[in-house]
Amino acid sequence: MINEDIKRVCVEKCSGNLKLVTSDIQKDIVSACAIGTTNSIIKDLGDSLFAILVDEACDVSNKEQMTVVIRYVDKLGHVVERLLALVGVAKKNMNISDLFFLVTNVVNVVRGSCKRHDILQEIQLAKIKETLENGELSNGQGLNQNTTLKRGGGGDTRWSSHYRTLVSLEYMFSSILDVLDLIVKDMKLSSDQRHEAHNLLKSLQTFEFAFSLHLMISLLGITNELLQALQRKDQVIVNAMTLLDDISSFCAKHDIEVPSLVDTYVVPGRVRRHVEKRTVLHHFQVELFFQVIDLQLQELNSRFSEANTKLLLCVACLNPSDSFYAFDKEKLIRLSKFYLKEFSEVQYSTKELDNQLETYILDMRSNTHFVNLKGIRDVAEKMVEKGKHALYPLVYKLITLILILPVATATVERAFSAMKILKNRLRNRMSDQFMVDCLIPYVEK
């Protein structure tokens, strides 16, 4: 199909000249490849059930891009994820928003040139060498590896990228201050550049920044654990109670003044007579610490509702480990009620699904072909291989619905990686449609 589309384009556009060097012809050929690839995906999908994964990221020209991926189970029982399209698309706590704004500016200034980046590396290497000689650091395989100040991700939801940026900034904090100080003293630079570096240097050496930095490092560092244990809200508080000690030692190390917690908090840049008086402790505890934790918990609760939690508990019943030890017929019947259109009373009765599940589990536990399966995906593939999908159609449909749940975004991230290769700094004016046409066959090769 793809070859036919390319041949048609060549015949229509070339008019006897087969050099294929003009940009219009090349774009038409790429478009034909994209159309052929998309048609092939649609044909493979057929009338199967599918799920959609959507994510966003910034391209090299700082334009927000959205990738759409479909996830389905093919005729052989394999879980497939396919890229469909990439199109252009257009922090609630003010203190944390200010933190990330400041961090972004620091990264841009310090990494603004190869020279500054090299200076940062040299200073950091010298400090590591000094601490090793003083016995303050341990030396060994995998320790004290060369690091750099990492850039954050393109969107607010890319917290893992933000976390790496904050960790690298904390680790190289002293070296970053030295680089900013060198910029301030460099008379060859413009006054605007030196003034910007001076303001950044002043903002970094405040208790407000130190507190916000360590708060977000602490919270983002345990986000993955929170996703797996949403009900353990006290875990956040317990782990974060050591935050103040970490901040105090950080401030002492870098000569940052630590305010008294009983003093009146002064809001920077605000007219003081219009501001309600509160203590430093109240500001950092209530307006920062508690508020950020509440925002994170609200976000997690919105992503994992009570219905979602029940759904995941039912899904676990299909796990084949230990001879289908987790199998629970009642929960699986309850699971089918989440999919009213696929298991409507008009098409199937609960009794029919009940009977199939009863026979299915006896068959699975007594059949040597289904021993030592590692996951639900393996169950689906083995059922198709042995013809069991036709014998237990309702059970297989239930397994198919579970397998297409969008629980991972590897294909989405692969699309973003491809985007960075295709649309680089030398091709940052590439149109959205041309990028789509290039990405689809590139990712689906």
Side-chain angles (χ1 to χ4, degrees):
M1 179 65 182
I2 298 177
N3 291 335
E4 291 297 323
D5 288 334
I6 296 176
K7 186 185 296 183
R8 174 183 54 78
V9 170
C10 291
V11 171
E12 292 177 357
K13 297 288 185 178
C14 294
S15 302
N17 183 350
L18 296 179
K19 291 184 179 181
L20 309 179
V21 293
T22 66
S23 60
D24 289 342
I25 293 177
Q26 292 175 350
K27 288 182 179 179
D28 286 336
I29 293 175
V30 172
S31 177
C33 291
I35 293 172
T37 304
T38 303
N39 290 338
S40 177
I41 293 173
I42 294 174
K43 182 179 179 181
D44 185 47
L45 173 63
D47 58 354
S48 302
L49 298 169
F50 64 92
I52 297 177
L53 293 83
V54 180
D55 201 356
E56 57 82 27
C58 280
D59 61 23
V60 70
S61 59
N62 291 323
K63 180 185 294 185
E64 288 292 330
Q65 301 289 349
M66 179 178 70
T67 188
V68 180
V69 172
I70 58 172
R71 179 182 172 97
Y72 63 96
V73 178
D74 66 12
K75 296 178 178 60
L76 298 178
H78 301 146
V79 179
V80 181
E81 290 184 350
R82 297 294 188 192
L83 175 71
L84 275 183
L86 195 83
V87 296
V89 298
K91 293 170 177 115
K92 296 182 181 178
N93 183 280
M94 187 59 66
N95 298 89
I96 302 304
S97 179
D98 290 342
L99 167 70
F100 284 110
F101 180 78
L102 178 59
V103 168
T104 300
N105 287 342
V106 170
V107 173
N108 291 336
V109 170
V110 174
R111 295 188 52 173
S113 67
C114 295
K115 180 181 178 181
R116 293 179 191 173
H117 183 262
D118 291 341
I119 292 174
L120 176 65
Q121 296 289 84
E122 291 173 3
I123 294 175
Q124 182 65 19
L125 188 61
K127 289 183 182 294
I128 292 176
K129 184 178 179 180
E130 181 182 353
T131 51
L132 284 172
E133 292 174 350
N134 295 337
E136 298 177 20
L137 285 179
S138 299
N139 192 12
Q141 184 176 1
L143 299 177
N144 311 315
Q145 295 179 355
N146 189 24
T147 185
T148 185
L149 184 58
K150 296 178 173 61
R151 294 185 183 275
D156 289 339
T157 58
R158 308 177 75 79
W159 291 111
S160 61
S161 177
H162 291 311
Y163 176 67
R164 291 193 297 270
T165 300
L166 297 181
V167 170
S168 66
L169 189 147
E170 182 198 21
Y171 180 68
M172 306 182 72
F173 188 78
S174 179
S175 302
I176 291 170
L177 295 182
D178 289 344
V179 173
L180 290 173
D181 190 52
L182 289 175
I183 296 174
V184 172
K185 296 176 180 178
D186 190 349
M187 301 304 296
K188 296 180 181 179
L189 298 175
S190 66
S191 59
D192 290 341
Q193 290 177 307
R194 294 168 57 209
H195 183 68
E196 181 181 19
H198 174 73
N199 286 338
L200 290 175
L201 197 58
K202 188 166 59 174
S203 299
L204 290 179
Q205 298 180 88
T206 62
F207 185 81
E208 186 98 20
F209 173 80
F211 186 94
S212 300
L213 173 67
H214 284 80
L215 173 62
M216 292 312 299
I217 289 177
S218 178
L219 289 181
L220 296 180
I222 58 175
T223 296
N224 289 334
E225 183 179 351
L226 285 174
L227 291 174
Q228 299 173 9
L230 296 176
Q231 302 307 318
R232 292 160 55 193
K233 296 182 182 180
D234 59 323
Q235 181 79 14
V236 191
I237 306 299
V238 171
N239 287 348
M241 290 308 295
T242 59
L243 184 63
L244 197 55
D245 291 336
D246 294 337
I247 299 169
S248 298
S249 60
F250 178 84
C251 291
K253 180 180 178 181
H254 299 288
D255 298 323
I256 298 175
E257 182 181 357
V258 179
S260 174
L261 297 180
V262 297
D263 289 347
T264 301
Y265 177 73
V266 179
V267 181
R270 297 275 296 276
V271 180
R272 299 182 186 181
R273 66 174 181 270
H274 297 310
V275 179
E276 181 183 353
K277 291 185 178 181
R278 69 270 201 194
T279 63
V280 172
L281 175 62
H282 180 274
H283 169 70
F284 288 108
Q285 184 181 54
V286 177
E287 298 177 353
L288 251 171
F289 185 71
F290 289 160
Q291 188 178 125
V292 171
I293 288 178
D294 286 341
L295 288 172
Q296 288 230 334
L297 291 176
Q298 289 173 21
E299 178 67 15
L300 292 173
N301 287 330
S302 68
R303 290 173 180 264
F304 295 91
S305 63
E306 183 179 353
N308 289 340
T309 304
K310 290 180 179 178
L311 174 64
L312 294 175
L313 291 175
C314 294
V315 168
C317 297
L318 289 169
N319 192 333
S321 300
D322 300 325
S323 298
F324 295 83
Y325 175 79
F327 181 84
D328 187 320
K329 184 178 67 174
E330 298 305 320
K331 286 186 178 180
L332 291 176
I333 292 176
R334 196 182 311 152
L335 176 62
S336 68
K337 298 186 183 300
F338 283 95
Y339 300 96
L340 297 178
K341 290 185 178 180
E342 286 72 26
F343 292 94
S344 65
E345 294 294 336
V346 177
Q347 295 174 314
Y348 312 107
S349 66
T350 303
K351 185 64 176 177
E352 187 177 358
L353 177 59
D354 187 303
N355 292 336
Q356 284 195 22
L357 286 170
E358 193 77 39
T359 310
Y360 161 81
I361 192 59
L362 293 175
D363 191 357
M364 295 298 104
R365 287 172 173 169
S366 61
N367 195 322
T368 56
H369 295 294
F370 290 86
V371 177
N372 299 325
L373 296 180
K374 296 180 179 180
I376 302 175
R377 183 191 300 244
D378 297 333
V379 175
E381 295 178 2
K382 187 63 69 173
M383 285 184 71
V384 173
E385 180 185 335
K386 300 302 177 182
K388 301 292 184 180
H389 68 299
L391 189 60
Y392 310 110
L394 297 184
V395 179
Y396 184 72
K397 174 171 283 192
L398 201 58
I399 292 174
T400 301
L401 289 167
I402 296 309
L403 287 176
I404 65 175
L405 283 175
V407 294
T409 59
T411 304
V412 176
E413 298 300 331
R414 194 159 59 246
F416 290 144
S417 297
M419 176 183 69
K420 292 179 181 179
I421 295 174
L422 291 173
K423 189 173 183 178
N424 54 36
R425 294 191 179 278
L426 297 178
R427 294 194 295 268
N428 60 3
R429 298 182 66 182
M430 178 186 290
S431 66
D432 287 339
Q433 186 58 53
F434 186 46
M435 183 167 62
V436 170
D437 292 341
C438 290
L439 275 169
I440 291 178
Y442 180 86
V443 175
E444 296 295 338
K445 59 188 175 183

